[in-house]
Amino acid sequence: MHANAFQLVEEFKQLLQQENIAPEQCHIGVAPVAIALGSIQTQFKDATRPIHTVAQDVSRVAGTGAYTGEVSAELLKDSGIEFVLIGHSERRELFGDSVEILKVKLHNALNAGLTVIYCVGESLEQREQGAAEQVVLQQICDIAAVVQADQWQKIVFAYEPIWAIGTGKTASPADAQAMHAKIREGLKQITSYGEHAAILYGGSVKAENAVELAACPDINGALVGGASLNAESFYQIAKAFAQSK
């Protein structure tokens, strides 16, 4: 709830005051529900370092027309929101965000000047069938047609094995690194930015495994779920990546 979010932000700001994490070491962002975007953004303005506010989703409708209930990419940009999640597994599974819908959302977000955190990942069934790499690489290829050459640098990729989200299961650092390396290999075949693309890992990341994950060469950061609801845990994860990169 709003009060809990306010308290969480204040606790995180206090941790940064005690021992700051330099912006050049690690980008930090939070992705609250849409109704809290503005207030959370304002609350972070007096933090000791920049904290980005990230929208969890964006409308497939562009512009500022009479689209009741929709929040377009242009509206996010106008509100000072610079980052947006697209393709999260919950959006794909629970709300029917198909490839075509995701392509439209991505196109709109990039054209509005937003930086996109684009989520990819396989189900447990797909992994057990040996199709994990094929599924994830296809998810990246799916969007290539709507991304202009100079827009790839505005996309951060997040690998989230669906079977490891909220389950307590985590891909081993070796498994996660192997997939991240495949993603980078695939991106390098599509764009010259592939070698330098940021690829986040999201799948039950917590303070206890962050150091090991951060040590992997192709894991550039974390898309943190449940552990981000505890300020100390979220801070320790950010610190782990800041110290290893």
Side-chain angles (χ1 to χ4, degrees):
M1 307 304 278
H2 218 83
N4 294 339
F6 182 87
Q7 181 180 349
L8 181 63
V9 169
E10 288 304 310
E11 289 174 359
F12 188 66
K13 283 161 58 179
Q14 288 172 14
L15 289 167
L16 289 172
Q17 280 186 324
Q18 293 167 17
E19 185 181 352
N20 196 25
I21 298 172
E24 56 270 19
Q25 286 183 295
C26 178
H27 295 283
I28 301 175
V30 296
V33 294
I35 200 169
L37 279 169
S39 58
I40 295 295
Q41 184 182 43
T42 300
Q43 198 180 345
F44 270 127
K45 281 187 175 175
D46 64 350
T48 56
R49 52 149 296 153
I51 307 291
H52 302 292
T53 309
V54 184
Q56 293 182 0
D57 190 33
V58 65
S59 175
R60 74 179 89 170
V61 179
T64 56
Y67 307 115
T68 303
E70 293 295 297
V71 180
S72 70
E74 288 81 1
L75 286 172
L76 289 174
K77 184 74 173 178
D78 185 64
S79 299
I81 304 300
E82 300 288 342
F83 291 80
V84 61
L85 281 170
I86 294 179
H88 192 280
S89 58
E90 291 170 359
R91 292 296 319 176
R92 293 176 188 258
E93 291 194 346
L94 300 180
F95 299 101
D97 277 12
S98 65
V99 170
E100 292 309 311
I101 289 173
L102 295 176
K103 284 162 66 175
V104 172
K105 288 183 174 184
L106 183 67
H107 173 79
N108 292 345
L110 292 173
N111 284 1
L114 299 176
T115 296
V116 173
I117 301 172
Y118 193 77
C119 303
V120 297
E122 81 283 1
S123 66
L124 181 59
E125 182 182 7
Q126 289 166 334
R127 172 162 280 269
E128 288 178 341
Q129 290 173 349
E133 290 179 2
Q134 178 185 344
V135 167
V136 170
L137 292 175
Q138 184 61 52
Q139 289 170 344
I140 294 170
C141 290
D142 285 339
I143 64 171
V146 298
V147 182
Q148 297 175 21
D150 61 346
Q151 290 179 327
W152 287 101
Q153 60 185 317
K154 296 285 286 183
I155 305 176
V156 174
F157 289 88
Y159 168 58
E160 44 162 17
I162 299 167
W163 49 271
I165 299 172
T167 62
K169 296 180 180 178
T170 311
S172 70
D175 284 343
Q177 164 57 27
M179 182 63 84
H180 278 236
K182 281 291 181 184
I183 292 171
R184 190 172 306 285
E185 184 182 313
L187 286 170
K188 285 164 68 174
Q189 293 178 21
I190 298 172
T191 169
S192 58
Y193 294 110
E195 186 173 353
H196 305 292
I199 309 173
L200 314 180
Y201 173 73
S204 295
V205 179
K206 43 192 178 245
E208 291 79 8
N209 60 23
V211 171
E212 203 173 358
L213 289 166
C216 297
D218 289 299
I219 299 180
N220 308 116
L223 184 66
V224 188
S228 66
L229 300 178
N230 178 285
E232 176 67 33
S233 177
F234 187 48
Y235 174 82
Q236 291 301 331
I237 292 168
K239 187 176 176 183
F241 278 92
Q243 292 177 342
S244 72
K245 303 300 178 185

